[in-house]
Amino acid sequence: MKTYKTKDGYEVSLMNFAVNGTYEGLIMGSAVAYSSHILENPKEQFSRVVEKGKPLFVIKPKECPLPRFYWIAKLECRKGVHSDHPDYNSYLYLGWYSDRTDLSIDAHLGELVKKFNWKKKADDYDITFV
């Protein structure tokens, strides 16, 4: 399984991912107006995919209107971030916007995980209860 090294040195693996249309369901209004609304609280769009209360970090884009796609990846580390108990791993949902469908998911994640500290954003879970 491929691993990616985060900014703070954690090795994380991709568990699953999804790609959705940023403007999916938009009936009225412009892409710019909708993008401005989303940029006020970008986590809101990802909450359609990620269950409430789960750790989610969204890399906010700089462009407006937003890219056509939003991506979400569930990442996992074989070490806990709040516990050093061997039964604890850590995980995080990472969300971002990109039109770069020509890049592999590995290329996306290889760059994105360098933009944040895993320890600050991820949460632990007990692997014995999975």
Side-chain angles (χ1 to χ4, degrees):
M1 181 181 288
K2 175 115 172 109
T3 61
Y4 311 92
K5 191 162 242 173
T6 65
K7 185 178 181 178
D8 52 348
Y10 284 85
E11 289 205 10
V12 301
S13 301
L14 174 66
M15 302 312 289
N16 58 47
F17 81 98
V19 181
N20 296 298
T22 302
Y23 303 104
E24 188 176 296
L26 178 63
I27 298 170
M28 295 176 59
S30 70
V32 172
Y34 190 64
S35 295
S36 297
H37 173 72
I38 289 172
L39 288 171
E40 290 175 16
N41 183 9
K43 282 188 175 184
E44 184 178 321
Q45 188 164 45
F46 291 90
S47 67
R48 298 176 195 161
V49 181
V50 178
E51 189 179 326
K52 188 176 181 172
K54 302 292 183 187
L56 168 63
F57 178 67
V58 175
I59 296 175
K60 196 172 178 180
K62 293 175 179 31
E63 67 243 44
C64 188
L66 291 170
R68 294 172 299 153
F69 304 105
Y70 70 98
W71 304 62
I72 188 150
K74 182 180 181 186
L75 303 172
E76 182 177 281
C77 178
R78 298 287 180 193
K79 289 175 41 179
V81 291
H82 304 294
S83 172
D84 56 1
H85 193 282
D87 286 346
Y88 280 80
N89 287 355
S90 54
Y91 75 110
L92 172 71
Y93 288 91
L94 175 64
W96 71 98
Y97 293 88
S98 178
D99 281 331
R100 296 295 314 266
T101 56
D102 59 322
L103 292 178
S104 69
I105 190 68
D106 287 335
H108 276 283
L109 291 175
E111 290 303 312
L112 294 171
V113 298
K114 296 174 188 172
K115 295 184 177 196
F116 65 94
N117 288 326
W118 182 262
K119 187 169 185 150
K120 290 181 181 178
K121 304 295 181 188
D123 203 1
D124 290 346
Y125 73 95
D126 187 337
I127 61 174
T128 61
F129 289 112
V130 175

